[in-house]
Amino acid sequence: MTAPTGLTAARLATPELLRSVFRRHAAGVAVITARGERGPVGFTATSLTSVSAEPPMLSFGVGTGGSSWPAIAATEHVGVHILGEHQQELAATFARSGADRFGPATSWREGPEGVPVLDDVLAWLVCRVVARVPAGDHRLVLAEVLLGDPSGTGRPLLYHQGRFNGLRD
């Protein structure tokens, strides 16, 4: 495939091209949690998407090389947490490889179906995993919403240009 005339900056598809383009796409920040064999696991996700209203379903991507993948691959239930702009450090902790994600700095409790539920988030859901779809080095997880709480206060945390940011008017 060649670039149309006049598009001299166009580059062939590479992982770096995809990353560069999506750094320009502002996305909401979520943390996905699950109960693993050795305790709770979780990771920061910017790929959260509403899929269906009837039944209520969502999706998110998870890398198969990540430390949370074995638990996500085996679990029946996950927690989905929408972070507020006051939670930049929490987002960074769950994004950092090797971090103590459920250590003393993280306030959480065991929720329905044994799912770790983070405190002080804008909203959270507990979902039943219905499918894991192969997608390159990731899996797209489809999950049916079972219950949740949208009553947190504050403004959403966004990810843009490789950094966590607040929403600006």
Side-chain angles (χ1 to χ4, degrees):
M1 175 176 194
T2 60
T5 305
L7 298 178
T8 57
R11 302 182 299 187
L12 292 176
T14 63
E16 182 52 39
L17 173 65
L18 185 67
R19 287 186 199 100
S20 294
V21 167
F22 272 87
R23 279 186 198 110
R24 295 179 174 271
H25 173 69
V29 180
V31 168
I32 310 299
T33 61
R35 182 176 49 189
E37 285 185 15
R38 296 184 194 142
V41 300
F43 64 97
T44 300
T46 57
S47 60
L48 183 65
T49 304
S50 172
V51 173
S52 169
E54 274 302 320
M57 292 182 73
L58 57 82
S59 70
F60 59 87
V62 56
T64 56
S67 61
S68 296
W69 170 243
I72 300 296
T75 193
E76 292 184 31
H77 297 92
V78 294
V80 177
H81 308 82
I82 307 300
L83 300 191
E85 60 186 10
H86 63 287
Q87 294 176 303
Q88 290 185 21
E89 187 54 40
L90 182 68
T93 296
F94 276 83
R96 195 169 27 255
S97 179
D100 186 4
R101 296 174 179 159
F102 289 91
T106 302
S107 180
W108 67 281
R109 64 195 178 285
E110 185 173 312
E113 304 296 340
V115 171
V117 175
L118 302 176
D119 293 335
D120 199 29
V121 295
L122 297 186
W124 60 267
L125 299 166
V126 170
C127 305
R128 181 179 60 83
V129 174
V130 296
R132 295 168 188 87
V133 181
D137 61 356
H138 278 62
R139 294 296 181 268
L140 295 178
V141 177
L142 295 171
E144 183 177 3
V145 176
L146 301 178
L147 63 117
D149 182 357
S151 66
T153 60
R155 295 167 58 102
L157 182 62
L158 300 178
Y159 187 72
H160 181 252
Q161 293 287 27
R163 295 186 348 222
F164 297 111
N165 299 283
L167 183 65
R168 293 180 183 84
D169 293 329

